[in-house]
Amino acid sequence: MLVIAVVAIVGASTFAVLASSRVKGSASQTAAAYFAAWRKGDITGMERLVYQPPPDFVARHRGLSDELRVESIQLSPGPLKSVGDGAAEVPFAGVRQLAEFGAWPFDSTLRLAVRDRVWKVLWAPETLHPLLKDGGRLELSEIDMAAAELVTRERLPIPNDSYAEAYLEPLKPEFAEANQGWELVLKAPGQPDRPLLSKQPEANVEPTTLSRPVQAAAARALDGVEDSTIVVIQPSTGEILGLADRLEEGYSAVRDVFPPGSVFKTITAAALLKSGLEPLAEVPCPSAYTIPGHRTIINDGDMDRGVVTFTDAFAHSCNTTFIEQATTRLTSKDLVDTANEWGFGRQIMTGIRGSCGTVPDTDEVDLFAENVIGHGEVVTTPLCMAALAAAVQNGTWRSPRLLSKKQVSRIEGTPHEDVPMDESVVTALRDLMTAVVDYGTAADAGLPEGVAGKTGTAEVGDDEEPHAWFIGYRDDLAFCVFVRHGGAGGATAAPIAARFLNGL
């Protein structure tokens, strides 16, 4: 009986060996093939090694890679372990390279077993990633983009209460898509969402041309002054250093036009100088002047200065002098052409849109006379008048802008090229504008030393106060002060300019 039992045991062992020898491959071979296919992204090859793979096996793998924006995967298998008869497992470390977060490591286990005499992978969602167990789902979502932050040229915050908000806020969407934030979240049934990784959007900081000290001084100069604006330009670059705008009723200092009054005499003076009139030429400045066969023009306050130099006539803003000289020396076309040389009729690409104004050509002598002194049908923007003052200071007209040339070109179009001005005319205009501040209509405004400028008072109707203007420059700083219905330019606008300059 003992011999029979021994023979039976030996026979059973021999059968087991024979049976096991009929299993195709080995656990290590199947595991190695599975990891090799996974590394290559051969999902169908992986699927063939899995015992009864779910119908969405391929879709799950591709879906996870697409959802997480996986760029590559690294897999490092550990030693194979037997976990029973016909069963084994391989612990492994993985690293997914995510487009938004970089390397994202994980640890999992590949389980194997003999099925139908073949070593197969026993796949479960946690094989793909342990967090997918029990219905877990990984989701990559966008984080709300931070609003663009527009800063000064020094990359400092725009001063508080800068009166520039109406221009800066509409600009922010132009830069809002530069950066994006992401968050990787685990969504598990019956559990709150669990953030795993996050990448906050970087602060999207875009420098403007605004200078912090200039903008602050301009804004504070307008405190308490309703319906007013200051535009400040750097003559050497055309960059807008300050843009404080308190204009009411939706008016814009860079886009809306107003009658300029006597600040336009800067253009008329340029035309007269081109015609040959010298700054020291003696000209009459009577209280009234009648255009032969046409209307009579009077000076403000019936001012009669007799015979003066052309420089003095400009300094005291003598209407009668300008109308007599213009109607005898110039044509309407001469005035239009000169205005166009100094920026009128030109598109201005600022990054926030802009315009200069218009000087209409006319055959009507009376209308031409009105245009000569900035009334009639002449209209302009405070931006254009600041650019005019900048061109006098530098000798070159430059298209004003609030952003870099690259950004202006992207948002609006290529800015106009720089335009060199007539050197002799520019030199004479500087002397004329210096006289305005030294002893002319701006002499009592409290302006600091080194300022040159021109006052303007634009009549807009019998029942309304005129618009007050003052344009000027000091060193590499040019500006326009405009107060809608503010009264006389010398009494209202020039002192604001003084407050601005003294506040720098």
Side-chain angles (χ1 to χ4, degrees):
M1 294 295 293
L2 179 59
V3 170
I4 295 172
V6 170
V7 169
I9 292 172
V10 170
S13 299
T14 303
F15 177 80
V17 170
L18 291 173
S20 65
S21 67
R22 296 187 191 128
V23 174
K24 294 181 181 179
S26 65
S28 60
Q29 289 173 335
T30 300
Y34 189 87
F35 285 123
W38 195 351
R39 291 187 187 99
K40 292 189 296 184
D42 181 9
I43 303 174
T44 56
M46 297 163 62
E47 186 180 30
R48 285 193 293 268
L49 297 169
V50 174
Y51 178 70
Q52 295 182 350
D56 61 350
F57 179 86
V58 173
R60 283 198 187 202
H61 281 74
R62 289 178 177 165
L64 183 67
S65 293
D66 291 343
E67 172 65 29
L68 302 189
R69 301 180 66 182
V70 177
E71 296 179 329
S72 64
I73 187 168
Q74 296 177 357
L75 300 167
S76 302
L80 183 143
K81 300 177 183 177
S82 175
V83 291
D85 189 23
E89 62 183 31
V90 181
F92 67 94
V95 179
R96 286 184 172 92
Q97 190 71 26
L98 307 185
E100 307 305 337
F101 298 105
W104 188 42
F106 68 101
D107 293 309
S108 190
T109 300
L110 186 70
R111 292 179 171 82
L112 306 104
V114 175
R115 295 290 186 268
D116 299 328
R117 298 180 180 177
V118 177
W119 279 99
K120 288 282 191 175
V121 172
L122 301 182
W123 187 88
E126 54 264 36
T127 309
L128 194 55
H129 195 286
L131 293 175
L132 300 180
K133 187 177 181 179
D134 299 327
R137 183 163 52 90
L138 297 171
E139 186 175 294
L140 184 66
S141 59
E142 297 181 3
I143 296 176
D144 290 340
M145 291 177 291
E149 181 185 2
L150 297 175
V151 296
T152 66
R153 66 194 303 179
E154 303 93 351
R155 292 186 173 272
L156 296 172
I158 304 294
N160 294 329
D161 302 321
S162 67
Y163 304 134
E165 292 80 7
Y167 299 101
L168 300 178
E169 287 299 322
L171 263 182
K172 290 183 177 180
E174 293 289 347
F175 306 98
E177 297 183 2
N179 295 297
Q180 180 65 60
W182 298 92
E183 186 174 49
L184 181 59
V185 177
L186 171 64
K187 294 179 176 289
Q191 298 181 28
D193 290 354
R194 176 182 157 197
L196 302 173
L197 300 171
S198 66
K199 178 183 177 182
Q200 297 298 321
E202 296 178 8
N204 185 12
V205 178
E206 183 65 28
T208 66
T209 61
L210 296 177
S211 160
R212 184 174 174 83
V214 172
Q215 182 65 36
R220 300 294 69 81
L222 294 186
D223 284 343
V225 184
E226 298 179 355
D227 221 354
S228 59
T229 186
I230 298 178
V231 182
V232 188
I233 293 175
Q234 186 173 39
S236 60
T237 64
E239 295 179 347
I240 298 173
L241 302 182
L243 179 55
D245 190 344
R246 298 195 66 196
L247 293 176
E248 299 171 2
E249 300 179 23
Y251 282 110
S252 163
V254 304
R255 297 186 288 270
D256 291 315
V257 294
F258 308 91
S262 291
V263 290
F264 186 75
K265 286 175 183 169
T266 309
I267 299 289
T268 306
L272 290 170
L273 291 165
K274 279 174 51 180
S275 76
L277 184 60
E278 296 290 336
L280 297 181
E282 293 188 342
V283 292
C285 177
S287 61
Y289 172 73
T290 301
I291 305 169
H294 294 275
R295 62 173 293 186
T296 298
I297 305 292
I298 61 173
N299 282 331
D300 184 37
D302 293 326
M303 174 185 65
D304 185 343
R305 292 191 173 271
V307 176
V308 296
T309 66
F310 180 53
T311 299
D312 289 349
F314 186 89
H316 296 292
S317 204
C318 185
N319 289 339
T320 55
T321 300
F322 271 78
I323 289 174
E324 179 181 7
Q325 296 302 314
T327 55
T328 56
R329 289 175 171 269
L330 304 175
T331 65
S332 178
K333 186 176 184 303
D334 292 332
L335 188 64
V336 172
D337 289 347
T338 302
N340 288 343
E341 289 175 14
W342 290 85
F344 280 75
R346 211 173 271 166
Q347 279 192 316
I348 298 181
M349 309 297 188
T350 61
I352 51 173
R353 297 190 294 116
S355 64
C356 196
T358 55
V359 181
D361 196 359
T362 179
D363 294 330
E364 298 179 23
V365 175
D366 287 343
L367 178 57
F368 173 52
E370 290 284 344
N371 290 343
V372 161
I373 57 174
H375 293 93
E377 295 181 350
V378 175
V379 288
T380 188
T381 61
L383 173 71
C384 187
M385 290 292 95
L388 169 63
V392 174
Q393 190 277 344
N394 185 262
T396 298
W397 184 92
R398 291 182 170 87
S399 186
R401 54 185 172 81
L402 188 65
L403 300 170
S404 68
K405 288 183 179 180
K406 178 181 177 181
Q407 294 292 8
V408 170
S409 297
R410 179 181 69 84
I411 294 170
E412 268 191 81
T414 305
H416 197 285
E417 294 181 357
D418 296 348
V419 181
M421 309 309 297
D422 185 301
E423 186 175 349
S424 63
V425 171
V426 168
T427 300
L429 287 176
R430 290 171 185 158
D431 292 338
L432 267 58
M433 293 176 72
T434 299
V436 171
V437 177
D438 285 351
Y439 58 85
T441 54
D444 297 327
L447 291 160
E449 187 176 350
V451 177
K454 182 69 185 80
T455 60
T457 305
E459 302 292 341
V460 291
D462 295 335
D463 299 327
E464 293 182 297
E465 283 291 308
H467 299 325
W469 293 82
F470 183 67
I471 65 173
Y473 62 83
R474 182 178 67 168
D475 299 327
D476 199 18
L477 201 72
F479 55 85
C480 173
V481 177
F482 172 69
V483 184
R484 187 167 167 260
H485 304 303
T492 301
I496 293 174
R499 193 154 65 241
F500 158 63
L501 292 169
N502 289 324
L504 288 172

